[in-house]
């Protein structure tokens, strides 16, 4: 089983690259952002609660998000693997993920960290905002999301570095070029079991 985490700040291309990864490696896509937006669209109790946080650019509490992982991952344990996109975002979420997969002896294989300069992130989110229909793509909320990423999610880089699982990919390039670098990191891992530290 190939269990990937695609990690990075808002606008770094996690969703875009996940679509490519799903096709190439036949993985199940787990995007908490998408799952939460579906709940909001259906106006469920979870959706109503999540919206309060998403609209402010804050993280949705772990006790809402982690059960989403359990439910979805349990359904697809026979799949060739997962790509986790936008999850985990806190140490508590990372521990829940490790606990779930280590117990089944199918640990996280590789964490692909997509590195993009802050002004480019902001530019991409603003570019998308014209037709995304996302309530969190406004100017102020986008800035807040970037701040929250630094405060609450960046500490996961050290968490996965300590496990020797993270590869940093330069995401300041066209989509196909970034995908080429990500695929190179994954193929190297699959062929040699080695995790490259950085791909420029
Ligand atoms: P989520 O949906 O996960 O959004 P995000 O992390 O803020 O990321 P984005 O979707 O903005 O960007 P992305 O990195 O996927 O980039 P994309 O491919 O779209 O989360 C939304 C909210 O839900 C959170 O703020 C939080 O409130 C809540 N939430 C979600 N998960 C949670 C969790 N685990 N815990 C708690 N709360 C959670 O690309 C962006 C744009 O750039 C697109 O227009 C794209 O076409 C373009 N682009 C992509 N790559 C390139 C490239 N290489 N060059 C030029 N343009 C590019």
């Amino acid at each position: 089983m190939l269990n990937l985490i695609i990690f990075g700040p808002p606008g770094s291309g996690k969703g875009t690259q996940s679509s490519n990864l799903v096709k190439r490696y036949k993985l199940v896509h787990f995007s908490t952002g998408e799952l939460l937006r579906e709940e909001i669209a259906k106006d469920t109790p979870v959706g109503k609660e999540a919206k309060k946080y998403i609209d402010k650019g804050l993280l949705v509490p772990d006790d809402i998000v982690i059960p989403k992982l359990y439910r979805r991952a349990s359904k697809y344990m026979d799949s060739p693997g997962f790509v986790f996109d936008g999850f985990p975002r806190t140490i508590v979420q990372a521990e829940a993920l490790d606990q779930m997969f280590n117990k089944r002896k199918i640990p996280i294989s590789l964490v692909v960290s997509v590195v993009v300069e802050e002004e480019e992130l902001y530019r991409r989110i603003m570019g998308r905002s014209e037709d995304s229909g996302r309530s969190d793509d406004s100017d102020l909320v986008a800035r807040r999301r970037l701040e929250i990423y630094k405060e609450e999610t960046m500490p996961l880089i050290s968490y996965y570095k300590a496990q020797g699982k993270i590869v940093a990919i330069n995401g300041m390039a066209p989509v196909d070029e970034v995908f080429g670098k990500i695929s190179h990191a994954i193929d190297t891992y699959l062929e040699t079991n080695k995790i490259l530290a950085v791909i420029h």
Side-chain angles (χ1 to χ4, degrees), residues 128-175:
R128 184 182 59 187
S129 68
E130 288 167 24
D131 48 22
S132 71
R134 277 178 56 167
S135 56
D136 59 347
D137 274 352
S138 69
D139 185 351
L140 279 178
V141 179
R143 291 280 181 204
R144 185 77 184 123
R145 283 160 61 201
L146 293 171
E147 288 309 311
I148 293 289
Y149 167 79
K150 284 187 246 172
E151 285 165 25
E152 301 195 39
T153 304
M154 266 180 85
L156 287 176
I157 294 176
S158 306
Y159 180 89
Y160 287 114
K161 261 191 190 157
Q163 295 188 4
K165 288 189 176 166
I166 197 161
V167 50
I169 305 273
N170 178 2
M172 294 286 291
V175 171

Short mmCIF file of all heavy atoms in Angstrom, two decimals, residues 128-175:
data_model
loop_
_atom_site.label_atom_id
_atom_site.label_comp_id
_atom_site.label_asym_id
_atom_site.label_seq_id
_atom_site.Cartn_x
_atom_site.Cartn_y
_atom_site.Cartn_z
N ARG A 128 -7.79 32.22 -8.14
CA ARG A 128 -8.85 31.21 -8.14
C ARG A 128 -10.17 31.79 -7.64
O ARG A 128 -11.24 31.30 -7.98
CB ARG A 128 -8.41 30.05 -7.25
CG ARG A 128 -9.37 28.89 -7.24
CD ARG A 128 -8.91 27.80 -6.31
NE ARG A 128 -8.78 28.27 -4.95
CZ ARG A 128 -8.28 27.56 -3.96
NH1 ARG A 128 -7.84 26.36 -4.18
NH2 ARG A 128 -8.20 28.06 -2.74
N SER A 129 -10.08 32.83 -6.78
CA SER A 129 -11.27 33.31 -6.06
C SER A 129 -12.37 33.77 -7.01
O SER A 129 -13.55 33.75 -6.66
CB SER A 129 -10.90 34.44 -5.11
OG SER A 129 -10.52 35.57 -5.85
N GLU A 130 -11.96 34.18 -8.25
CA GLU A 130 -12.98 34.72 -9.17
C GLU A 130 -14.05 33.70 -9.52
O GLU A 130 -15.20 34.04 -9.71
CB GLU A 130 -12.30 35.25 -10.42
CG GLU A 130 -11.56 36.54 -10.11
CD GLU A 130 -10.63 36.98 -11.19
OE1 GLU A 130 -10.83 36.58 -12.36
OE2 GLU A 130 -9.69 37.73 -10.85
N ASP A 131 -13.66 32.41 -9.60
CA ASP A 131 -14.69 31.43 -9.96
C ASP A 131 -14.74 30.21 -9.05
O ASP A 131 -15.43 29.25 -9.34
CB ASP A 131 -14.58 31.01 -11.44
CG ASP A 131 -13.17 30.65 -11.81
OD1 ASP A 131 -12.39 30.32 -10.90
OD2 ASP A 131 -12.84 30.72 -12.98
N SER A 132 -14.04 30.24 -7.91
CA SER A 132 -14.04 29.04 -7.05
C SER A 132 -15.35 28.92 -6.26
O SER A 132 -15.74 27.82 -5.88
CB SER A 132 -12.87 29.06 -6.06
OG SER A 132 -13.08 30.04 -5.07
N GLY A 133 -15.99 30.06 -5.97
CA GLY A 133 -17.18 30.04 -5.14
C GLY A 133 -16.86 29.70 -3.69
O GLY A 133 -17.77 29.45 -2.89
N ARG A 134 -15.58 29.70 -3.33
CA ARG A 134 -15.20 29.35 -1.95
C ARG A 134 -15.26 30.57 -1.05
O ARG A 134 -14.64 31.59 -1.34
CB ARG A 134 -13.79 28.72 -1.93
CG ARG A 134 -13.83 27.26 -2.25
CD ARG A 134 -12.46 26.63 -2.29
NE ARG A 134 -11.68 26.79 -1.06
CZ ARG A 134 -10.57 26.11 -0.82
NH1 ARG A 134 -10.13 25.22 -1.71
NH2 ARG A 134 -9.90 26.31 0.29
N SER A 135 -15.97 30.42 0.07
CA SER A 135 -16.15 31.56 0.98
C SER A 135 -14.82 31.96 1.63
O SER A 135 -14.69 33.06 2.14
CB SER A 135 -17.15 31.17 2.08
OG SER A 135 -16.68 30.01 2.75
N ASP A 136 -13.83 31.06 1.60
CA ASP A 136 -12.55 31.36 2.28
C ASP A 136 -11.49 31.85 1.30
O ASP A 136 -10.32 31.94 1.65
CB ASP A 136 -12.06 30.14 3.07
CG ASP A 136 -11.84 28.91 2.21
OD1 ASP A 136 -12.30 28.89 1.05
OD2 ASP A 136 -11.21 27.96 2.69
N ASP A 137 -11.88 32.17 0.06
CA ASP A 137 -10.90 32.67 -0.90
C ASP A 137 -10.85 34.21 -0.97
O ASP A 137 -10.27 34.77 -1.89
CB ASP A 137 -11.18 32.10 -2.31
CG ASP A 137 -10.51 30.74 -2.51
OD1 ASP A 137 -9.72 30.32 -1.64
OD2 ASP A 137 -10.77 30.10 -3.55
N SER A 138 -11.45 34.90 0.01
CA SER A 138 -11.39 36.36 -0.01
C SER A 138 -10.02 36.81 0.52
O SER A 138 -9.32 36.04 1.18
CB SER A 138 -12.50 36.94 0.85
OG SER A 138 -12.21 36.66 2.20
N ASP A 139 -9.71 38.05 0.25
CA ASP A 139 -8.41 38.61 0.60
C ASP A 139 -8.00 38.37 2.07
O ASP A 139 -7.01 37.72 2.36
CB ASP A 139 -8.52 40.13 0.30
CG ASP A 139 -7.21 40.85 0.49
OD1 ASP A 139 -6.27 40.24 1.00
OD2 ASP A 139 -7.14 42.03 0.12
N LEU A 140 -8.88 38.84 2.98
CA LEU A 140 -8.53 38.76 4.41
C LEU A 140 -8.47 37.33 4.92
O LEU A 140 -7.58 36.95 5.69
CB LEU A 140 -9.56 39.53 5.24
CG LEU A 140 -9.36 41.04 5.31
CD1 LEU A 140 -10.48 41.67 6.12
CD2 LEU A 140 -8.00 41.38 5.93
N VAL A 141 -9.43 36.52 4.47
CA VAL A 141 -9.47 35.12 4.94
C VAL A 141 -8.28 34.34 4.39
O VAL A 141 -7.69 33.52 5.09
CB VAL A 141 -10.82 34.44 4.59
CG1 VAL A 141 -10.85 33.01 5.07
CG2 VAL A 141 -11.99 35.21 5.21
N ALA A 142 -7.89 34.64 3.17
CA ALA A 142 -6.72 33.96 2.59
C ALA A 142 -5.48 34.26 3.42
O ALA A 142 -4.68 33.36 3.73
CB ALA A 142 -6.52 34.40 1.14
N ARG A 143 -5.30 35.52 3.80
CA ARG A 143 -4.14 35.91 4.64
C ARG A 143 -4.19 35.17 5.98
O ARG A 143 -3.18 34.71 6.50
CB ARG A 143 -4.14 37.43 4.91
CG ARG A 143 -3.86 38.26 3.69
CD ARG A 143 -2.37 38.32 3.40
NE ARG A 143 -2.10 39.14 2.23
CZ ARG A 143 -1.01 39.03 1.47
NH1 ARG A 143 -0.09 38.12 1.74
NH2 ARG A 143 -0.83 39.80 0.44
N ARG A 144 -5.39 35.08 6.55
CA ARG A 144 -5.57 34.40 7.84
C ARG A 144 -5.21 32.90 7.70
O ARG A 144 -4.54 32.34 8.57
CB ARG A 144 -7.03 34.55 8.28
CG ARG A 144 -7.34 33.99 9.64
CD ARG A 144 -6.83 34.94 10.73
NE ARG A 144 -7.05 34.38 12.06
CZ ARG A 144 -6.09 34.19 12.95
NH1 ARG A 144 -4.85 34.51 12.69
NH2 ARG A 144 -6.37 33.70 14.13
N ARG A 145 -5.64 32.30 6.59
CA ARG A 145 -5.33 30.87 6.37
C ARG A 145 -3.82 30.65 6.30
O ARG A 145 -3.30 29.66 6.81
CB ARG A 145 -5.99 30.38 5.07
CG ARG A 145 -7.49 30.13 5.21
CD ARG A 145 -8.19 30.14 3.86
NE ARG A 145 -7.74 29.12 2.96
CZ ARG A 145 -7.89 29.18 1.62
NH1 ARG A 145 -8.49 30.22 1.07
NH2 ARG A 145 -7.46 28.20 0.87
N LEU A 146 -3.14 31.59 5.67
CA LEU A 146 -1.68 31.45 5.57
C LEU A 146 -1.04 31.57 6.96
O LEU A 146 -0.08 30.85 7.28
CB LEU A 146 -1.11 32.50 4.60
CG LEU A 146 -1.52 32.30 3.12
CD1 LEU A 146 -1.11 33.49 2.26
CD2 LEU A 146 -0.90 31.03 2.55
N GLU A 147 -1.57 32.47 7.79
CA GLU A 147 -1.04 32.63 9.16
C GLU A 147 -1.29 31.37 9.98
O GLU A 147 -0.42 30.88 10.69
CB GLU A 147 -1.70 33.83 9.86
CG GLU A 147 -1.24 35.18 9.36
CD GLU A 147 0.27 35.31 9.31
OE1 GLU A 147 0.92 34.98 10.31
OE2 GLU A 147 0.80 35.72 8.26
N ILE A 148 -2.52 30.85 9.87
CA ILE A 148 -2.89 29.64 10.62
C ILE A 148 -2.01 28.46 10.19
O ILE A 148 -1.61 27.64 11.01
CB ILE A 148 -4.39 29.33 10.43
CG1 ILE A 148 -5.25 30.41 11.09
CG2 ILE A 148 -4.77 27.94 10.93
CD1 ILE A 148 -5.25 30.41 12.60
N TYR A 149 -1.72 28.41 8.91
CA TYR A 149 -0.84 27.33 8.42
C TYR A 149 0.50 27.41 9.16
O TYR A 149 1.01 26.40 9.66
CB TYR A 149 -0.63 27.46 6.90
CG TYR A 149 0.49 26.58 6.42
CD1 TYR A 149 0.29 25.21 6.23
CD2 TYR A 149 1.77 27.09 6.20
CE1 TYR A 149 1.33 24.38 5.83
CE2 TYR A 149 2.81 26.27 5.80
CZ TYR A 149 2.59 24.92 5.63
OH TYR A 149 3.63 24.10 5.25
N LYS A 150 1.06 28.63 9.24
CA LYS A 150 2.38 28.78 9.88
C LYS A 150 2.31 28.39 11.35
O LYS A 150 3.18 27.71 11.88
CB LYS A 150 2.88 30.23 9.74
CG LYS A 150 3.38 30.51 8.34
CD LYS A 150 4.02 31.87 8.28
CE LYS A 150 3.21 32.78 7.40
NZ LYS A 150 3.59 34.16 7.37
N GLU A 151 1.23 28.84 12.02
CA GLU A 151 1.14 28.61 13.48
C GLU A 151 0.83 27.15 13.82
O GLU A 151 1.41 26.58 14.72
CB GLU A 151 0.01 29.47 14.07
CG GLU A 151 0.36 30.94 14.18
CD GLU A 151 -0.88 31.80 14.42
OE1 GLU A 151 -1.89 31.29 14.94
OE2 GLU A 151 -0.84 32.99 14.05
N GLU A 152 -0.14 26.57 13.12
CA GLU A 152 -0.68 25.28 13.58
C GLU A 152 -0.24 24.08 12.75
O GLU A 152 -0.23 22.96 13.25
CB GLU A 152 -2.22 25.36 13.62
CG GLU A 152 -2.69 26.48 14.55
CD GLU A 152 -4.16 26.36 14.89
OE1 GLU A 152 -4.65 25.24 15.10
OE2 GLU A 152 -4.83 27.42 14.95
N THR A 153 0.07 24.30 11.48
CA THR A 153 0.34 23.14 10.61
C THR A 153 1.83 22.95 10.34
O THR A 153 2.31 21.80 10.26
CB THR A 153 -0.46 23.29 9.29
OG1 THR A 153 -1.85 23.43 9.65
CG2 THR A 153 -0.32 22.08 8.40
N MET A 154 2.59 24.06 10.25
CA MET A 154 4.02 23.91 9.97
C MET A 154 4.77 23.02 10.97
O MET A 154 5.73 22.35 10.58
CB MET A 154 4.69 25.28 9.86
CG MET A 154 4.74 25.71 8.41
SD MET A 154 5.50 27.29 8.20
CE MET A 154 7.22 26.86 8.12
N PRO A 155 4.38 23.00 12.25
CA PRO A 155 5.09 22.10 13.18
C PRO A 155 5.11 20.63 12.73
O PRO A 155 5.96 19.85 13.17
CB PRO A 155 4.31 22.27 14.49
CG PRO A 155 3.72 23.64 14.40
CD PRO A 155 3.40 23.86 12.95
N LEU A 156 4.20 20.27 11.83
CA LEU A 156 4.19 18.88 11.35
C LEU A 156 5.43 18.56 10.53
O LEU A 156 5.79 17.39 10.37
CB LEU A 156 2.94 18.63 10.49
CG LEU A 156 1.64 18.54 11.26
CD1 LEU A 156 0.47 18.38 10.32
CD2 LEU A 156 1.67 17.36 12.21
N ILE A 157 6.10 19.60 10.00
CA ILE A 157 7.31 19.33 9.22
C ILE A 157 8.34 18.65 10.13
O ILE A 157 8.95 17.64 9.75
CB ILE A 157 7.86 20.65 8.60
CG1 ILE A 157 6.85 21.16 7.55
CG2 ILE A 157 9.23 20.42 7.97
CD1 ILE A 157 7.21 22.49 6.91
N SER A 158 8.48 19.17 11.35
CA SER A 158 9.44 18.55 12.29
C SER A 158 8.97 17.15 12.69
O SER A 158 9.78 16.23 12.85
CB SER A 158 9.58 19.38 13.57
OG SER A 158 9.90 20.68 13.22
N TYR A 159 7.66 17.00 12.84
CA TYR A 159 7.07 15.70 13.23
C TYR A 159 7.47 14.63 12.19
O TYR A 159 7.92 13.54 12.54
CB TYR A 159 5.55 15.85 13.31
CG TYR A 159 4.78 14.60 13.68
CD1 TYR A 159 4.52 14.29 15.02
CD2 TYR A 159 4.29 13.75 12.71
CE1 TYR A 159 3.79 13.15 15.36
CE2 TYR A 159 3.56 12.62 13.04
CZ TYR A 159 3.32 12.32 14.37
OH TYR A 159 2.60 11.20 14.70
N TYR A 160 7.32 14.96 10.90
CA TYR A 160 7.63 13.96 9.86
C TYR A 160 9.12 13.89 9.56
O TYR A 160 9.61 12.85 9.13
CB TYR A 160 6.81 14.23 8.60
CG TYR A 160 5.35 13.86 8.81
CD1 TYR A 160 4.34 14.80 8.82
CD2 TYR A 160 4.99 12.53 9.06
CE1 TYR A 160 3.02 14.45 9.04
CE2 TYR A 160 3.68 12.17 9.30
CZ TYR A 160 2.69 13.13 9.28
OH TYR A 160 1.39 12.77 9.52
N LYS A 161 9.85 14.98 9.82
CA LYS A 161 11.32 14.92 9.68
C LYS A 161 11.88 13.91 10.67
O LYS A 161 12.75 13.12 10.36
CB LYS A 161 11.95 16.30 9.93
CG LYS A 161 12.27 17.03 8.66
CD LYS A 161 13.13 18.25 8.91
CE LYS A 161 13.19 19.06 7.62
NZ LYS A 161 13.52 20.45 7.85
N ALA A 162 11.33 13.96 11.88
CA ALA A 162 11.80 13.04 12.94
C ALA A 162 11.53 11.59 12.53
O ALA A 162 12.27 10.68 12.93
CB ALA A 162 11.10 13.36 14.25
N GLN A 163 10.52 11.37 11.70
CA GLN A 163 10.23 10.01 11.22
C GLN A 163 11.00 9.69 9.94
O GLN A 163 10.89 8.58 9.41
CB GLN A 163 8.73 9.85 10.93
CG GLN A 163 7.84 9.97 12.15
CD GLN A 163 6.37 9.62 11.82
OE1 GLN A 163 6.03 9.21 10.72
NE2 GLN A 163 5.51 9.78 12.81
N GLY A 164 11.74 10.68 9.42
CA GLY A 164 12.53 10.47 8.19
C GLY A 164 11.66 10.23 6.96
O GLY A 164 12.06 9.53 6.04
N LYS A 165 10.48 10.87 6.92
CA LYS A 165 9.54 10.54 5.85
C LYS A 165 9.27 11.69 4.88
O LYS A 165 8.48 11.55 3.96
CB LYS A 165 8.19 10.12 6.46
CG LYS A 165 8.29 8.75 7.09
CD LYS A 165 6.95 8.23 7.49
CE LYS A 165 7.12 6.83 8.03
NZ LYS A 165 5.95 6.36 8.75
N ILE A 166 9.89 12.85 5.10
CA ILE A 166 9.45 14.02 4.34
C ILE A 166 10.41 14.37 3.20
O ILE A 166 11.62 14.33 3.38
CB ILE A 166 9.21 15.21 5.30
CG1 ILE A 166 8.37 16.30 4.64
CG2 ILE A 166 10.49 15.78 5.86
CD1 ILE A 166 7.73 17.26 5.66
N VAL A 167 9.84 14.65 2.04
CA VAL A 167 10.63 15.16 0.93
C VAL A 167 10.09 16.53 0.56
O VAL A 167 8.89 16.71 0.42
CB VAL A 167 10.61 14.19 -0.29
CG1 VAL A 167 9.22 13.75 -0.67
CG2 VAL A 167 11.29 14.81 -1.51
N ALA A 168 11.00 17.52 0.46
CA ALA A 168 10.59 18.89 0.11
C ALA A 168 10.73 19.07 -1.40
O ALA A 168 11.78 18.78 -1.98
CB ALA A 168 11.47 19.90 0.83
N ILE A 169 9.63 19.52 -2.02
CA ILE A 169 9.61 19.69 -3.49
C ILE A 169 9.45 21.17 -3.79
O ILE A 169 8.56 21.82 -3.21
CB ILE A 169 8.38 18.95 -4.09
CG1 ILE A 169 8.35 17.48 -3.69
CG2 ILE A 169 8.27 19.17 -5.59
CD1 ILE A 169 9.10 16.54 -4.54
N ASN A 170 10.26 21.69 -4.69
CA ASN A 170 10.10 23.08 -5.10
C ASN A 170 8.83 23.20 -5.96
O ASN A 170 8.78 22.69 -7.07
CB ASN A 170 11.34 23.52 -5.89
CG ASN A 170 11.23 24.94 -6.39
OD1 ASN A 170 10.23 25.62 -6.12
ND2 ASN A 170 12.23 25.39 -7.11
N GLY A 171 7.83 23.90 -5.40
CA GLY A 171 6.54 24.02 -6.09
C GLY A 171 6.42 25.28 -6.92
O GLY A 171 5.34 25.58 -7.44
N MET A 172 7.52 26.03 -7.07
CA MET A 172 7.50 27.29 -7.84
C MET A 172 7.80 26.97 -9.31
O MET A 172 8.83 27.39 -9.85
CB MET A 172 8.56 28.25 -7.28
CG MET A 172 8.27 28.73 -5.89
SD MET A 172 6.94 29.94 -5.83
CE MET A 172 7.69 31.34 -6.63
N ALA A 173 6.92 26.22 -9.92
CA ALA A 173 7.11 25.81 -11.32
C ALA A 173 5.75 25.43 -11.86
O ALA A 173 4.80 25.23 -11.09
CB ALA A 173 8.08 24.63 -11.36
N PRO A 174 5.63 25.31 -13.20
CA PRO A 174 4.33 24.90 -13.75
C PRO A 174 3.87 23.55 -13.21
O PRO A 174 4.70 22.73 -12.79
CB PRO A 174 4.60 24.83 -15.26
CG PRO A 174 5.79 25.70 -15.48
CD PRO A 174 6.62 25.60 -14.24
N VAL A 175 2.56 23.34 -13.24
CA VAL A 175 1.93 22.15 -12.63
C VAL A 175 2.62 20.84 -13.09
O VAL A 175 2.97 19.99 -12.26
CB VAL A 175 0.42 22.09 -12.97
CG1 VAL A 175 -0.20 20.78 -12.55
CG2 VAL A 175 -0.31 23.27 -12.31
#
